[in-house]
Amino acid sequence: MDKKLLLFIRDMKAFYLLSRKLKEKRLIWSSLESEASLPLKNSLIVTDAEGKKVIQHTKNYRNCKSLYSIIDYTRYSSFTSLILNVLRELYGIHKFTTLLVALDPGQKNIGIAYFLDQTLIFTEIVHSAEKVIERINICAESFWSNDIEVKVGKGSLRSLRTMLRVLTAKDATLLRPLHIFLVDESGSSKQNGIHIQNIKAFYPGYKKSITRDEQAAIIIGYRHGKELTDSDLKQLFSKEAHISELKHIQRASRKKSQGKLSLSRDLANEVYNGNLTLEKAIMLQERKKECKEKNSISQDESK
């Protein structure tokens, strides 16, 4: 990433919002105070239509057009879409075949890494499988990619199945069809000192700035996977829960309810299969407990 990112934006609200979003993506940028300060350096300039005309009339631009790329931020429907195309331009990606989305699924955090072909574009954390659909759609719309691959790490079976159910649901509002690959993610969250393309440019001192979930997603993206068939999905969804998995869910329910109740094995199994969220299962368990207590009181009163 050898281009200098410059913001030439006079709308202060737009400038503030964009600069905040760029900071969230760990991107380094500078403000171009006036067209007279345009540097003779390979640069990407984010501005509006009026600003673009001003830049194009400067002496530096007229003499060295090849040094500059200009993006009109007003042409994009969202700041997310704008930033995705800023990243694409910074990496000099003008042609690509495949948008690859690599996922490290977890119950609390889902690490996501986005690639155009083999080039890492950016990473992020989301907190629900449903949010992944939204992010994939934004990328599909922003990059106009017809071929989308999704690589999913197969660490926790419960997290994996939750993710796959959302990705393959009949009512999933995906803008493009997906090719889903299952990847062995063993060691992905513990692997240190690895060479990852663009990692130093995108994450200076990345061990401090990148989360373990994002790092795992990057490694999953670089690993080979097996494309899932309908038969594979059916087998994954029908696999019975191990007793240790059910006990783990029951412990989680006790912690979530501050020790007030523990899920029955049947409800824990429903959570494991992705048919209920932990919160919904706890609510049902509370209702069962209340009904049982009411029945017990009624029987005592009738004696």
Side-chain angles (χ1 to χ4, degrees):
M1 193 188 299
D2 58 355
K3 283 187 178 181
K4 186 177 181 66
L5 178 58
L6 301 172
L7 303 187
F8 186 51
I9 300 174
R10 284 160 290 188
D11 181 331
M12 294 311 297
K13 182 179 179 180
F15 177 85
Y16 169 75
L17 290 173
L18 178 56
S19 60
R20 190 181 69 184
K21 295 291 184 182
L22 291 170
K23 185 177 180 181
E24 289 173 2
K25 293 290 180 286
R26 309 173 181 96
L27 285 169
I28 299 170
W29 54 271
S30 298
S31 177
L32 187 62
E33 298 300 332
S34 72
E35 67 274 17
S37 59
L38 182 67
L40 272 170
K41 182 175 175 62
N42 196 15
S43 305
L44 172 61
I45 305 159
V46 179
T47 185
D48 55 15
E50 184 181 346
K52 182 176 180 179
K53 290 179 181 179
V54 171
I55 293 295
Q56 289 174 336
H57 281 87
T58 62
K59 182 179 178 181
N60 283 355
Y61 183 88
R62 292 198 308 269
N63 291 339
C64 301
K65 287 183 182 180
S66 60
L67 285 179
Y68 306 105
S69 301
I70 301 176
I71 287 182
D72 180 353
Y73 73 88
T74 64
R75 296 180 61 187
Y76 293 89
S77 58
S78 68
F79 280 114
T80 300
S81 182
L82 168 62
I83 290 172
L84 288 173
N85 281 280
V86 165
L87 287 163
R88 180 183 57 78
E89 189 66 43
L90 285 173
Y91 286 123
I93 302 172
H94 303 295
K95 291 183 180 180
F96 62 92
T97 303
T98 303
L99 166 62
L100 167 62
V101 182
L103 306 173
D104 176 43
Q107 289 302 305
K108 291 184 178 179
N109 297 325
I110 300 170
I112 313 180
Y114 303 87
F115 301 77
L116 293 180
D117 290 337
Q118 292 299 308
T119 302
L120 173 66
I121 297 298
F122 79 106
T123 65
E124 65 179 343
I125 296 291
V126 299
H127 304 292
S128 72
E130 290 75 17
K131 190 72 174 178
V132 172
I133 296 289
E134 177 186 322
R135 306 304 286 176
I136 290 175
N137 281 339
I138 289 174
C139 285
E141 186 178 24
S142 300
F143 293 133
W144 293 100
S145 174
N146 291 322
D147 195 5
I148 302 178
E149 293 182 359
V150 176
K151 290 184 178 179
V152 187
K154 62 175 183 180
S156 163
L157 182 59
R158 179 186 167 203
S159 298
L160 170 64
R161 294 206 296 193
T162 299
M163 179 60 65
L164 291 177
R165 286 184 189 281
V166 170
L167 291 173
T168 60
K170 290 182 179 179
D171 59 349
T173 55
L174 286 159
L175 297 180
R176 306 280 190 280
L178 306 178
H179 300 280
I180 303 175
F181 296 80
L182 191 61
V183 176
D184 181 4
E185 65 169 282
S186 57
S188 61
S189 61
K190 300 176 182 178
Q191 194 169 348
N192 290 312
I194 56 173
H195 170 72
I196 300 176
Q197 183 182 358
N198 292 336
I199 202 71
K200 289 183 179 178
F202 193 58
Y203 301 110
Y206 84 93
K207 289 182 185 178
K208 294 180 181 179
S209 62
I210 189 173
T211 68
R212 190 182 344 184
D213 302 297
E214 289 170 287
Q215 179 176 315
I218 293 170
I219 296 169
I220 288 166
Y222 280 119
R223 289 183 177 177
H224 294 292
K226 177 185 180 295
E227 186 166 5
L228 294 176
T229 63
D230 290 341
S231 177
D232 293 329
L233 289 168
K234 185 176 181 180
Q235 185 177 359
L236 278 168
F237 292 149
S238 62
K239 190 173 181 179
E240 291 186 7
H242 190 275
I243 187 65
S244 62
E245 285 280 355
L246 296 181
K247 286 183 177 180
H248 173 76
I249 294 170
Q250 289 172 321
R251 282 196 298 272
S253 70
R254 289 194 290 273
K255 184 177 180 181
K256 189 81 174 177
S257 65
Q258 299 179 332
K260 294 179 181 178
L261 55 82
S262 180
L263 293 182
S264 67
R265 185 167 294 185
D266 287 342
L267 282 174
N269 197 58
E270 289 296 298
V271 173
Y272 176 84
N273 286 322
N275 298 326
L276 291 175
T277 63
L278 181 62
E279 292 74 13
K280 179 69 173 178
I282 289 173
M283 186 175 69
L284 292 174
Q285 187 72 51
E286 286 176 339
R287 288 178 182 173
K288 284 185 177 181
K289 184 180 178 181
E290 289 172 0
C291 288
K292 188 175 181 180
E293 289 174 349
K294 287 180 180 179
N295 289 335
S296 178
I297 292 170
S298 296
Q299 289 175 4
D300 290 341
E301 290 176 345
S302 63
K303 287 180 180 179

